[in-house]
Amino acid sequence: MSENLAKEWKNHVGPKRALKTVFYAIIIAALVVSLRNIEIIPEFLKDTPEQLMDLFRRMWPIDVKFLWGFVAPSILETIHIATLGTIATLIITFPLAVLGSKNIVRNEGIRYVMKFIFVASRSVNSLIWALFYVAVFGPGPVAGVMAIMSRSIGFVGKLLSEAIEESSRNQIEAVISVGAPPVSVFLKGFWPQIRPSFLSIALLRWDINIRETAVLGIVGAGGIGLLLESAIDVFHWPGVAAILLSIFVVVLLAEFLVTNLRKKVI
Amino acid sequence: MSEAILQIRNLSKSYFHKQPVLHDVSLDVKPEEILIIIGPSGAGKSTLMRCINHLITPSSGHIYFKGLDIPSLHGNQMRACRRRIGMVFQEFNLVERLTVLENLLIGRLGYMKPLDAFLQRYAAEDIDAAEALLTRLGLREFALKRADNLSGGQRQRVGIGRALMQNPELLLVDEPTSSLDPKTSVEVMEIMAELARERHIPVLVNMHDVNLARRFADRIVGMREGRIVFDGKKEELTNDTLAKIYGGDSWMH
């Protein structure tokens, strides 16, 4: 018998090994083709260390006056855009996610409309949304809020819908069995089950939105990105350093806050 | 005996064509009796119970509950009927993240406006009633603990409390002890029977444990393959009838 199993094992594992070899070969081929295609010029790479050092030297010391006078208000605006965009997203998306969950809405048509909205929202990058809204509303934070919202609806909607669909049927059935009206069934059957996911998704998206808002200004949608672009345009490197440093600090703080809050929620 | 609280007439249910789960079942539940339905898994006991609470709509037949034909009810009428029937579940079905007290108060949701439920504005009488019940169930100290902190037996007692908070006129109990150990099973059945008798509530129980059924039933009904094959006092339940219900007798020795 053992001889038979050894043979079977060989037959079982042999084709898989061949498949693996082909897989690695494809990856290496892809790497080679891409490298040729983008044509890296070695001369430009050679002086990278000097260029880098030169940039750092021009950035140091950072412009402290600029930091408090211009960067701080701009960073604050960035946080406001991200926060407002996230809250608007949650208010709009909650009912949509409920309508998109198959254990609440039986009608497949309605659910597909919701899925379509979520996919459409996610398939467009926030920067592209921002370009669109800058054209509609003109440059400024309104376009930023709209862009953040348009991109977040799909993310929050998809995750929230999944959380609703994962609710335990047993707990819901008990609330139905006491004769509770549908709204009460949602409040006392579904909501306690999805609340941790909801808060967790909201915090996570807020964190992502702060990072995304930081670049939106490049296309004119308000926030720190706007300042960054102008600072680079006039080669004001100590200012650029101040901006990059503040973005880094804010993102780090947001990450820290969100991680700790999410731990408490769950 | 006076007139039946619940009259089931020619009830059938099939999920797939020509494969009935319930086959022409007729059954009466009389006031203040504890009626236990026994039978193997898949005999249709749970389906029967879910039809009574209209969690499932039967394919044909009638269920009369105090003059109402349950399968024909819809919307508000159906919910108004459901709140008069308490249900206890095999897996307890507590809302895990709510407190024990709020799980009991779920039994009042059929009588409350959704806005009051949202604001957690429960009537003072309801909280008093819940406190009295929790004390009887030995769970007073757990009132403000989350339901997922409790043991199996404690959870099932919360399930019983929730059903009794409805002030039900009938109690449906679906496999209440299948997830519990033997000692806890007896304790849970005891407190349930005691509370139901005090309040003069008839109880319909499903279970597959014959000894437990014998201990607590006034009347026993045996089901097999969607049909009632025995209906009588527990003294009339012989080994022959048990063999008929469960099939074969090798499991008895």
Side-chain angles (χ1 to χ4, degrees):
Chain A
M1 273 317 267
S2 67
E3 244 182 40
N4 271 338
L5 183 59
K7 223 181 217 170
E8 270 180 55
W9 169 244
K10 219 173 178 180
N11 289 338
H12 173 78
V13 89
K16 284 196 176 166
R17 264 190 205 138
L19 214 64
K20 260 188 206 164
T21 313
V22 172
F23 179 71
Y24 289 131
I26 288 174
I27 288 183
I28 291 166
L31 191 68
V32 170
V33 170
S34 325
L35 274 176
R36 279 200 183 165
N37 196 275
I38 59 171
E39 287 180 53
I40 296 169
I41 302 164
E43 287 76 28
F44 281 14
L45 282 179
K46 233 188 278 168
D47 64 343
T48 309
E50 290 110 85
Q51 294 282 353
L52 233 103
M53 280 317 292
D54 182 48
L55 195 61
F56 275 131
R57 222 172 289 127
R58 270 182 284 169
M59 280 181 166
W60 194 261
I62 65 164
D63 189 338
V64 177
K65 223 165 153 192
F66 184 71
L67 179 67
W68 294 116
F70 293 91
V71 180
S74 201
I75 278 277
L76 216 60
E77 186 182 69
T78 301
I79 295 173
H80 286 323
I81 292 172
T83 308
L84 215 62
T86 309
I87 291 172
T89 300
L90 295 176
I91 293 170
I92 292 171
T93 315
F94 196 85
L96 301 185
V98 170
L99 289 175
S101 305
K102 60 168 168 269
N103 50 353
I104 293 185
V105 173
R106 292 234 185 98
N107 185 323
E108 235 174 296
I110 297 176
R111 267 170 21 224
Y112 274 119
V113 172
M114 298 306 138
K115 294 257 147 72
F116 177 78
I117 293 174
F118 298 156
V119 170
S121 151
R122 268 183 303 137
S123 62
V124 180
N125 188 288
S126 1
L127 213 57
I128 312 286
W129 278 118
L131 276 171
F132 171 73
Y133 284 118
V134 166
V136 175
F137 297 108
V142 177
V145 171
M146 291 299 290
I148 285 299
M149 194 183 80
S150 303
R151 170 65 180 83
S152 304
I153 284 175
F155 179 91
V156 173
K158 181 182 152 70
L159 291 182
L160 197 56
S161 244
E162 279 171 7
I164 295 172
E165 283 174 355
E166 275 164 24
S167 307
S168 133
R169 184 73 207 155
N170 280 352
Q171 300 183 30
I172 313 284
E173 205 162 62
V175 186
I176 292 174
S177 82
V178 305
V183 175
S184 299
V185 172
F186 184 82
L187 287 171
K188 297 295 164 179
F190 282 97
W191 177 242
Q193 295 190 62
I194 59 175
R195 188 179 51 193
S197 313
F198 175 79
L199 295 175
S200 176
I201 293 164
L203 286 169
L204 184 65
R205 191 62 224 183
W206 179 72
D207 182 29
I208 297 172
N209 282 347
I210 286 197
R211 274 174 274 153
E212 294 211 337
T213 314
V215 283
L216 286 191
I218 293 175
V219 296
I224 190 75
L226 204 61
L227 200 62
L228 180 62
E229 207 206 2
S230 3
I232 294 178
D233 277 352
V234 299
F235 306 115
H236 181 39
W237 296 110
V240 171
I243 292 168
L244 292 181
L245 199 68
S246 2
I247 292 178
F248 181 69
V249 167
V250 166
V251 167
L252 214 65
L253 282 177
E255 173 95 32
F256 176 77
L257 194 73
V258 165
T259 311
N260 279 290
L261 280 176
R262 283 180 73 193
K263 253 186 235 157
K264 277 208 176 131
V265 167
I266 298 163
Chain B
M1 269 288 203
S2 48
E3 210 195 320
I5 294 274
L6 190 76
Q7 294 168 305
I8 300 170
R9 291 290 174 269
N10 311 106
L11 198 72
S12 294
K13 172 71 189 175
S14 44
Y15 293 102
F16 302 105
H17 188 59
K18 289 195 171 164
Q19 285 182 321
V21 185
L22 289 178
H23 197 96
D24 200 22
V25 171
S26 294
L27 183 68
D28 283 3
V29 181
K30 299 184 184 92
E32 301 193 33
E33 80 173 337
I34 295 183
L35 172 56
I36 299 189
I37 304 176
I38 58 171
S41 314
K45 307 186 299 283
S46 272
T47 305
L48 176 65
M49 201 151 271
R50 277 152 189 280
C51 284
I52 296 172
N53 207 347
H54 209 169
L55 291 171
I56 295 176
T57 308
S59 308
S60 66
H62 300 278
I63 301 168
Y64 299 105
F65 173 65
K66 302 204 168 175
L68 297 166
D69 184 17
I70 292 174
S72 72
L73 298 177
H74 297 285
N76 283 333
Q77 282 179 314
M78 178 175 74
R79 288 192 285 275
C81 179
R82 269 184 192 149
R83 69 186 186 189
R84 297 165 65 186
I85 302 175
M87 192 152 179
V88 177
F89 299 84
Q90 175 179 355
E91 303 288 343
F92 326 128
N93 297 15
L94 307 183
V95 181
E96 301 282 333
R97 287 174 181 277
L98 294 183
T99 59
V100 167
L101 175 64
E102 215 173 342
N103 266 288
L104 255 73
L105 291 167
I106 282 175
R108 300 307 298 167
L109 285 183
Y111 299 88
M112 290 172 63
K113 290 198 188 85
L115 182 66
D116 288 331
F118 175 67
L119 297 171
Q120 298 180 294
R121 272 200 307 234
Y122 299 102
E125 309 93 87
D126 290 347
I127 297 177
D128 289 345
E131 185 181 14
L133 260 174
L134 283 174
T135 310
R136 283 296 304 277
L137 294 163
L139 296 170
R140 176 63 187 83
E141 56 184 309
F142 297 100
L144 297 180
K145 293 232 164 70
R146 248 165 61 158
D148 50 7
N149 288 326
L150 302 184
S151 70
Q154 290 168 333
R155 281 161 180 240
Q156 193 55 296
R157 279 183 274 164
V158 174
I160 292 166
R162 174 176 62 197
L164 289 174
M165 282 298 289
Q166 293 171 245
N167 285 329
E169 296 157 55
L170 172 68
L171 211 51
L172 301 176
V173 185
D174 190 12
E175 302 275 2
T177 59
S178 297
S179 311
L180 303 175
D181 65 69
K183 179 168 170 273
T184 314
S185 296
V186 171
E187 287 167 2
V188 163
M189 284 301 290
E190 256 166 7
I191 186 74
M192 189 188 68
E194 195 181 304
L195 288 167
R197 286 237 159 81
E198 271 172 29
R199 289 151 200 252
H200 312 289
I201 305 168
V203 188
L204 183 61
V205 188
N206 274 342
M207 56 172 53
H208 48 240
D209 186 331
V210 180
N211 292 325
L212 211 56
R214 274 207 174 105
R215 185 161 171 176
F216 289 98
D218 297 318
R219 198 172 126 218
I220 290 180
V221 164
M223 275 185 80
R224 181 179 181 170
E225 289 169 6
R227 293 165 207 266
I228 292 182
V229 293
F230 170 80
D231 184 348
K233 295 204 177 77
K234 51 186 162 187
E235 297 79 20
E236 294 164 11
L237 189 67
T238 61
N239 279 356
D240 282 349
T241 42
L242 277 177
K244 207 163 83 187
I245 294 167
Y246 288 94
D249 58 3
S250 55
W251 57 274
M252 280 185 258
H253 312 298

